Amino acid sequence: MLFYDTPLPAPNPRRVRIVAAEKGIVLPTVTVQIAKSEHKAPEFLAVNPLGQTPALVLDDGEVLTESIAICRYLDALHPEPPLFGRTPIEIARVDMWMRRVEFRLGNPLAMLWIHAHPFTAKIVPQQFREFGDSNRPAIARALALFDTRLADTQWLAGDSFSIADVVLLCTIDFMTFVGIKLTDETPHLKDWHMRASSRPSATA
Ligand SMILES: N[C@@H](CCC(=O)N[C@@H](CS)C(=O)NCC(=O)O)C(=O)O
């Protein structure tokens, strides 16, 4: 296998690095620097014509993209510890919380990043600043939702650390990079962030 990775602050390849670290998998890695537009260079477009990282090239040459698909593949190959749940209800809970992170926090954050951040102004053809900023309340609502959940559970999907926590950690750290910090308004989420960040895999 060959893993095409991008360093921080890119959140999606980090999901794969954390899952690999949780499972003790060492992936031979090629680094693609988005800041240097290497993801749009012909060499990388030959691997992933979508021009996005991460990508995982399998031994038979098949290419997996989409960070969650790659994480699921690694989880199926190395089932311990299970990060996508074990029983039907665990699997459903993990999926439910992961999708809430992606749709309720990841999507508005992406719109804020693309349309209202000075860094992306150099990259996207046209920014709609007002629209970008209009996503801030949705981000705040999503943080409140996760805070309420984490008042009752140690990890987002229950008692065990899961891919839902991986996605939330990567999204929140990226959110900090974009300029929104966790505050005391979401104390349970802040505590969870400290727990998740203190796992050895979080340095990935
Ligand atoms: N849904 C994809 C999103 C991949 C993605 O957006 N990757 C970012 C890096 S975090 C990227 O390559 N951005 C450059 C671009 O889209 O041009 C996944 O989860 O893997």
Side-chain angles (χ1 to χ4, degrees):
M1 286 194 279
L2 190 56
F3 173 48
Y4 286 80
D5 189 17
T6 296
L8 291 174
N12 296 298
R14 186 180 180 214
R15 297 170 173 182
V16 178
R17 293 198 301 275
I18 293 179
V19 166
E22 287 283 338
K23 290 171 178 291
I25 304 168
V26 177
L27 292 170
T29 297
V30 173
T31 299
V32 179
Q33 298 284 358
I34 290 181
K36 294 183 184 162
S37 298
E38 288 176 359
H39 60 310
K40 303 298 180 200
E43 297 79 20
F44 183 66
L45 290 176
V47 176
N48 180 10
L50 296 173
Q52 291 187 320
T53 59
L56 185 70
V57 182
L58 308 185
D59 291 344
D60 66 0
E62 181 166 352
V63 180
L64 289 179
T65 64
E66 295 301 330
S67 53
I68 296 300
I70 295 171
C71 292
R72 272 190 200 281
Y73 180 71
L74 296 179
D75 191 69
L77 280 183
H78 300 266
E80 296 299 329
L83 294 179
F84 284 81
R86 214 189 292 260
T87 65
I89 187 63
E90 284 172 4
I91 292 168
R93 264 191 220 119
V94 168
D95 218 35
M96 178 174 82
W97 283 104
M98 180 179 65
R99 291 171 75 85
R100 285 175 173 174
V101 176
E102 292 209 287
F103 294 139
R104 290 175 180 268
L105 180 60
N107 284 357
L109 180 62
M111 292 303 103
L112 178 69
W113 163 241
I114 290 169
H115 287 291
H117 199 276
F119 181 83
T120 46
K122 296 176 222 150
I123 300 169
V124 296
Q126 193 179 0
Q127 278 192 319
F128 298 91
R129 282 300 281 257
E130 209 175 317
F131 164 69
D133 279 324
S134 75
N135 286 277
R136 290 181 189 275
I139 293 171
R141 281 196 300 275
L143 297 178
L145 172 74
F146 303 132
D147 186 64
T148 302
R149 167 66 173 170
L150 289 163
D152 297 331
T153 60
Q154 197 189 5
W155 301 110
L156 205 48
D159 294 337
S160 306
F161 182 81
S162 78
I163 187 71
D165 299 290
V166 175
V167 175
L168 185 58
L169 181 64
C170 295
T171 309
I172 285 186
D173 288 347
F174 183 66
M175 182 184 85
T176 307
F177 169 77
V178 171
I180 300 178
K181 289 192 172 62
L182 287 180
T183 69
D184 291 338
E185 282 179 31
T186 55
H188 308 295
L189 183 57
K190 258 183 116 175
D191 287 351
W192 166 91
H193 185 258
M194 278 178 58
R195 275 199 299 286
S197 301
S198 64
R199 295 175 78 87
S201 63
T203 58

